[in-house]
Each structure stands twice: as structure tokens, then as C-alpha cells.
Amino acid sequence: MNLPQAFAEHLARDRRRSVHTVRAYQATAERLLGFLQAHTGGPPVLEALTAADLRAFLAMRRGAESGAGIGNASAARELSAVRAFLGFAGVAVPRLAGPRVKKGVPRPISPDEVIALTDEVAEDRDEAWIGARDLAVLLLLYGAGLRIGEAVGLTGAVLPLGETLVVTGKRAKTRIVPLLPQVRAAVEDYVALCPYALGREAALFRGAKGGPLAPGLIRRAVQAARVRLGLPERTTPHALRHSFATHLLGRGADLRALQELLGHASLGSTQIYTAVDAAHLLDVYRNAHPRA
């Protein structure tokens, strides 16, 4: 078995990463080894890898040599996969800052950035169940529009999961939100790995010592991952909920339905997303239209 295949098996078996993540990270490992062989003219030696080599690899992935043309968020995720691969191989990772995402007016996180962020947070955990926990919480924010407090406030009473989830929001107001299969699978993976009994009245998401998970732990994990990936400061747990709303609206969601999904008391609270979406479309227009 070659090293990238062993790395993939480790991710699937020990880290319980998704099929998508395993496939993507294995592909990155194979690309890195192929690049090093072409770059050095001999068998790749990971122990000899330098920061300059990594910069050249990312330049190739950005399109300088291959025409691949990946963006900043994808390049940051590629670097994250390289770091995970080198760590698995027992090789010191050269110090290299991740690509910076251009700052601008507040706007939703792109789906590409969401994938990079959630994978990075989960991969940074030493224990598989904690990585699965963080992934499940973040996907509830982005995939179901929950507030961070609503997610960590869930109890074992929600189990077993169905196609919808009853959420208690501000002022004890309850709402029903649909659960995407990917979100449900992430929560179920966490439940299967969690070492603590999840009673109906007890917190669903637990801290390392078994107590209820504190929102601050998720916020700090996101902040650290954001720095490693070079994502802007607007990349926060709440921004995932914001992105959930904006992406739904951009795909034609009804404003009243969005109000119900978000648990807003008034339509006025939801209408802010129409302005955000319009601003995002204007940015796209200005950047892409030949007469803009």
C-alpha cells in the first residue's frame, strides 16, 4: 500500500472523515508526491520538503503551471490537506502562511470556504469523536440555519433523528427545520463516536470531560481554523447561519419561509438578507460584466 492510500485509510478508519474528504485529501497527497517528483527530478523525499517547495506546489495548483486555476479558499484547503498528510507521515510541516481571501464588505461565506472551514476544524482535533462533534455543530449552523446557542442547546431528546428537527430559539419559541441528509449523517456519526451516554434530558453535544459543550469552544476552534486557512475575520460560527440564509434566498427561497426557518420574530429581521443578496449580485455583476 502506498502512502496516500494509507493516509486515506487513516482518515476513513481513525478520523471518521466523510467519503468526500477522504477522496479529496488522498488526491492532494498524490498530487504533492507527483509534483515533488517532477520538481526535484527524483523520488519525492517528504523530509526534505521546504516552504519554497510548498509555495511552488500551491502556485501550480493556482494555475501558474497547470491551468488548474483554483481560488484562494480551495488553495487554503489544499494546504490544510498537505499539512494533514505530512503530519500523518511524521514529517515536520514547513511554516507557510495560507492564501489570504480578499477582504471587503460583509458578505456570506462561499460554499467552498464553508467546506474548507468545517474540514479544517474537524481535522485539527486529536480525538475523532471531538472532530465529529465540531463538524456536526457547524453543519447544523450552515445546513439548518441554527444559532450556535441553539445547536449546543440540543438534548438527547432529538434522537433518533428524522427528516426534521424541533429547535428552541429566542424567547423559548420553537420552530421546525428540515435536516439535510449530510447534516443528519454528521450528527449520527458524532452520536456513534461520543463516549458519553446521551440521555433525553442531557446535552447532546458534550465537552471533552462530559459536560455540556460551551459555545466558546466552537468559536475558538473556528477562529483558529480561520487563521490557518487565511480566511477573513468575518468567518465566524454566526456567519455560517448568515450564509445559510443568503444562499437559500439566492436560490429562490420565499422570504416568509426563510423567516420561519431562521426563527425571526419579525419579517424585518429577515429582510436584511435581501439587501445582502443584492449587494452580492452587484459585486458579481461588477466583476464579470464586460460593460460594468
Side-chain angles (χ1 to χ4, degrees):
M1 182 186 300
N2 62 34
L3 194 57
Q5 287 177 328
F7 176 51
E9 287 201 2
H10 161 72
L11 292 175
R13 181 187 63 247
D14 303 324
R15 303 293 295 176
R16 295 295 296 272
R17 305 314 311 138
S18 69
V19 173
H20 172 78
T21 298
V22 171
R23 186 185 304 117
Y25 276 39
Q26 180 179 357
T28 296
E30 291 170 345
R31 276 193 295 269
L32 177 65
L33 294 180
F35 167 80
L36 290 176
Q37 183 164 357
H39 187 61
T40 62
V45 180
L46 292 178
E47 290 78 5
L49 186 70
T50 66
D53 293 330
L54 278 185
R55 278 192 292 270
F57 172 68
L58 290 178
M60 179 273 291
R61 292 292 290 137
R62 294 293 299 273
E65 298 174 19
S66 69
I70 63 173
N72 279 4
S74 293
R77 188 172 186 235
E78 189 88 342
L79 181 57
S80 176
V82 167
R83 286 170 173 154
F85 175 56
L86 294 178
F88 169 76
V91 176
V93 182
R95 294 181 62 86
L96 181 68
R100 301 296 299 180
V101 176
K102 184 179 179 181
K103 294 183 179 181
V105 297
R107 63 187 188 278
I109 303 172
S110 72
D112 190 33
E113 290 171 338
V114 171
I115 292 172
L117 180 71
T118 54
D119 280 351
E120 178 68 17
V121 169
E123 286 294 336
D124 189 52
R125 298 303 196 182
D126 292 331
E127 297 187 55
W129 79 270
I130 295 180
R133 177 201 69 190
D134 292 356
L135 180 63
V137 171
L138 294 179
L139 288 186
L140 281 170
L141 273 55
Y142 179 68
L146 272 61
R147 301 177 178 93
I148 182 68
E150 293 170 345
V152 301
L154 294 173
T155 68
V158 303
L159 302 175
L161 295 175
E163 295 184 351
T164 60
L165 183 68
V166 178
V167 180
T168 301
K170 292 183 177 179
R171 293 176 292 278
K173 182 181 178 181
T174 61
R175 67 185 188 277
I176 298 175
V177 298
L179 281 182
L180 295 171
Q182 298 92 327
V183 178
R184 186 165 63 247
V187 177
E188 290 172 344
D189 283 348
Y190 156 71
V191 170
L193 291 172
C194 182
Y196 302 105
L198 301 175
R200 288 184 58 81
E201 303 301 321
L204 175 63
F205 294 109
R206 304 297 184 85
K209 296 183 179 180
L213 176 64
L217 288 176
I218 298 296
R219 293 192 180 99
R220 287 193 290 274
V222 168
Q223 181 181 18
R226 180 192 76 206
V227 171
R228 289 193 299 271
L229 292 174
L231 296 174
E233 292 182 1
R234 62 181 170 80
T235 308
T236 64
H238 190 72
L240 295 178
R241 170 176 154 92
H242 173 70
S243 300
F244 162 84
T246 307
H247 294 164
L248 279 183
L249 190 63
R251 289 177 173 266
D254 176 78
L255 199 60
R256 285 287 182 185
L258 188 58
Q259 178 190 357
E260 292 296 324
L261 288 174
L262 293 171
H264 285 162
S266 68
L267 188 63
S269 298
T270 312
Q271 285 175 331
I272 185 175
Y273 292 107
T274 61
V276 171
D277 190 59
H280 174 64
L281 291 177
L282 185 58
D283 284 343
V284 172
Y285 174 85
R286 286 171 174 165
N287 290 331
H289 197 284
R291 290 188 174 273

